[in-house]
Amino acid sequence: MNSFNRLAVVISLATLFPLSAYAAAPADSKGTVEVVHWWTSGGEAKAVEVLKKLIEKDGYTWQDSAVAGGGGAAAMTVLKTRAVSGNPPSAAQIKGPDIQDWAALGLLTNVDEVAKANKWDTLLSKTVSDTMKYDGHYVAVPVNIHRVNWLWTNPEVFKKAGIDKPPTTLEELYAAGDKLKAAGFIPLAHGGQPWQDSTVFEDMVLSIMGPEGYKKAFIEHDEKTLTGPQMTEVFTNLKKLQSYMDPDGTGQDWNLEAAKVINGKAGMQIMGDWAKSEWAAAGKKAGTDFECVPFPGTQGSFTYNIDSLAMFKLAKAKDTAGNRAAQNDVAKVALEPEFQYVFNQNKGSIPVRGDLDMSKFDSCGQASAKDFAAAGKSGSQLPSMAHNMATSLAVQGAIFDVVTNFMSDKNADPAKAGKQLASAIKAAQ
Ligand code: BGC
């Protein structure tokens, strides 16, 4: 059963369950908007607070329904349960092709009026606006563009280990790992959770196969690519990279691993630029306290991850003019410059509208915006598989399982992993 059918079965049980009410709002509130998201690390929470404050300034009540768990798998489970019980939130962090699945079930509402009044069609690139639309109608609002293929380094730790610059090739990455290890540091901070394993895996696919191979593997699911010799090379390199990963990283959250690089216990982390939110929250400066470089071998490509808030049809008991206005206010505020600047500076991402002044951003933000535009021209803006942008959640889950099983098996055979990947993807489609 594919993800759409699975979701449909879950949702069709919806009428069997009772509704629950919003938490009590202050007497002078114009309406309440409840938002499900997974921005719970220190830096992420600081970023989402920006939206909350702006909504409150407009006289509405923000009901925060944060579900901890990087990558969002736990939040998605909660969201499905909420939909099953006929009690969806007003808005939820849903991304990429998944937006279409929720909309096809008739669960999302359109925010065309807000979009029209605020000229979203002219503000957003077509790739972004198409993702936010179902059947020609806006059902979600994008808030940012994250780049996934980054490597974060601590220059002070590098210096102590005798490394003069961040690695740009896989060979340099392994050489840096050896030096860091020899100097007593954790070479690579990494939390062994499926989405983190697959974030590194997709970087490795891009590094070894290039943008065309990446598309063949993760968008076309081309069997030859999935089972070919380059995929064996990818898994062989993944095993090698694993030998540099934090031995205490099993099951660790990404932000706790980021803290090890920030605190000088580890030298590097492979992570999307939400990692920068932790550096920023710790008061650290790009270019001096930390450096960001594309994952070695992926220079010129940009794996993107666009966070967006999908808008739900409100359950009858909550479907009041005030609550609908609160929902529309989130849609409106999310694309306004004030929010886009402050939220994205805190979040580590870049604005999703292209007309803002990037000189307000740090060197990593500026590099990201420049690389995004260049990758657009060269055909190497690539949707992140690990962050729900490239495939259905069912196919993504199948890939996660193969990658994580491979990483947890000391004797796993890189030559067999590609075949397992191909058949797992086929079964999930
Ligand atoms: C989301 C980011 C979030 C990260 C870690 C990604 O999938 O797009 O907004 O910061 O997961 O939780």
Side-chain angles (χ1 to χ4, degrees):
M1 194 168 16
N2 66 27
S3 66
F4 178 76
N5 289 339
R6 253 192 292 260
L7 189 58
V9 167
V10 172
I11 308 300
S12 67
L13 300 169
T15 45
L16 300 176
F17 295 84
L19 294 181
S20 73
Y22 280 146
D28 59 350
S29 165
K30 296 197 306 197
T32 295
V33 61
E34 188 204 354
V35 183
V36 166
H37 61 87
W38 64 90
W39 293 319
T40 55
S41 77
E44 290 173 324
K46 228 176 136 190
V48 77
E49 188 68 16
V50 177
L51 187 54
K52 176 176 184 253
K53 285 268 144 48
L54 289 169
I55 298 304
E56 287 173 349
K57 204 170 112 199
D58 287 346
Y60 298 103
T61 300
W62 172 275
Q63 189 177 330
D64 198 68
S65 290
V67 182
M76 284 301 119
T77 306
V78 168
L79 193 60
K80 282 179 194 158
T81 311
R82 293 284 305 269
V84 166
S85 62
N87 182 31
S90 324
Q93 191 183 350
I94 300 179
K95 294 187 290 181
D98 206 23
I99 295 174
Q100 306 300 313
D101 288 356
W102 284 94
L105 292 169
L107 290 165
L108 302 186
T109 188
N110 87 56
V111 284
D112 284 343
E113 261 179 48
V114 181
K116 210 169 162 207
N118 296 283
K119 304 194 171 59
W120 288 8
D121 275 341
T122 54
L123 287 181
L124 302 173
S125 72
K126 194 167 151 40
T127 320
V128 177
S129 60
D130 281 353
T131 314
M132 302 303 133
K133 283 180 188 171
Y134 175 72
D135 212 11
H137 301 284
Y138 277 102
V139 293
V141 60
V143 294
N144 63 7
I145 300 174
H146 273 302
R147 184 185 197 172
V148 179
N149 58 319
W150 280 122
L151 173 77
W152 305 89
T153 65
N154 181 326
E156 202 184 306
V157 172
F158 264 41
K159 206 169 156 206
K160 285 185 190 154
I163 312 161
D164 55 3
K165 61 174 189 48
T168 57
T169 62
L170 288 177
E171 290 65 38
E172 284 177 17
L173 177 65
Y174 302 141
D178 288 332
K179 285 191 174 164
L180 287 162
K181 214 185 251 180
F185 295 103
I186 302 165
L188 194 60
H190 177 84
Q193 294 175 343
W195 73 272
Q196 294 186 61
D197 293 344
S198 280
T199 298
V200 176
F201 171 67
E202 83 173 23
D203 283 339
M204 197 58 97
V205 167
L206 182 57
S207 179
I208 288 177
M209 297 189 175
E212 292 315 314
Y214 181 100
K215 287 181 203 164
K216 279 203 150 58
F218 294 137
I219 302 170
E220 295 164 30
H221 308 309
D222 173 59
E223 195 163 339
K224 257 196 176 155
T225 306
L226 292 170
T227 59
Q230 273 196 319
M231 191 56 88
T232 305
E233 208 188 313
V234 167
F235 279 105
T236 307
N237 275 276
L238 197 59
K239 264 278 170 263
K240 178 152 178 75
L241 194 59
Q242 206 180 356
S243 67
Y244 298 105
M245 288 178 181
D246 182 6
D248 296 326
T250 317
Q252 276 288 10
D253 288 335
W254 67 273
N255 51 315
L256 301 181
E257 289 298 315
K260 294 183 185 175
V261 193
I262 298 171
N263 298 334
K265 291 197 173 75
M268 316 183 270
Q269 184 180 28
I270 298 164
M271 188 51 69
D273 46 19
W274 48 92
K276 205 179 72 183
S277 71
E278 296 304 296
W279 289 92
K284 306 288 185 188
K285 298 266 167 294
T288 43
D289 301 320
F290 65 95
E291 292 202 69
C292 56
V293 288
F295 178 79
T298 70
Q299 295 86 338
S301 293
F302 190 113
T303 41
Y304 64 84
N305 169 24
I306 300 166
D307 282 316
S308 44
L309 296 172
M311 300 297 166
F312 278 80
K313 279 185 186 152
L314 299 175
K316 249 202 180 119
K318 295 175 181 173
D319 194 8
T320 63
N323 291 342
R324 280 199 303 272
Q327 191 176 40
N328 283 338
D329 197 51
V330 170
K332 177 176 80 75
V333 165
L335 270 183
E336 282 175 348
E338 188 181 4
F339 170 76
Q340 285 286 316
Y341 278 123
V342 189
F343 175 80
N344 284 307
Q345 279 161 353
N346 283 315
K347 187 75 175 66
S349 38
I350 56 171
V352 68
R353 46 189 288 175
D355 60 342
L356 300 184
D357 175 10
M358 284 309 293
S359 70
K360 292 184 196 281
F361 285 75
D362 66 15
S363 54
C364 295
Q366 290 181 17
S368 186
K370 207 169 129 242
D371 291 355
F372 184 68
K377 288 194 186 117
S378 65
S380 38
Q381 275 180 0
L382 306 163
S384 166
M385 175 281 295
H387 293 277
N388 319 11
M389 300 303 299
T391 68
S392 69
L393 290 188
V395 169
Q396 184 204 51
I399 300 175
F400 280 18
D401 285 349
V402 172
V403 172
T404 289
N405 286 341
F406 176 82
M407 289 182 74
S408 34
D409 177 1
K410 267 200 191 103
N411 303 314
D413 180 355
K416 282 196 186 133
K419 292 191 182 68
Q420 288 161 351
L421 197 59
S423 51
I425 291 176
K426 215 177 214 164
Q429 274 170 332

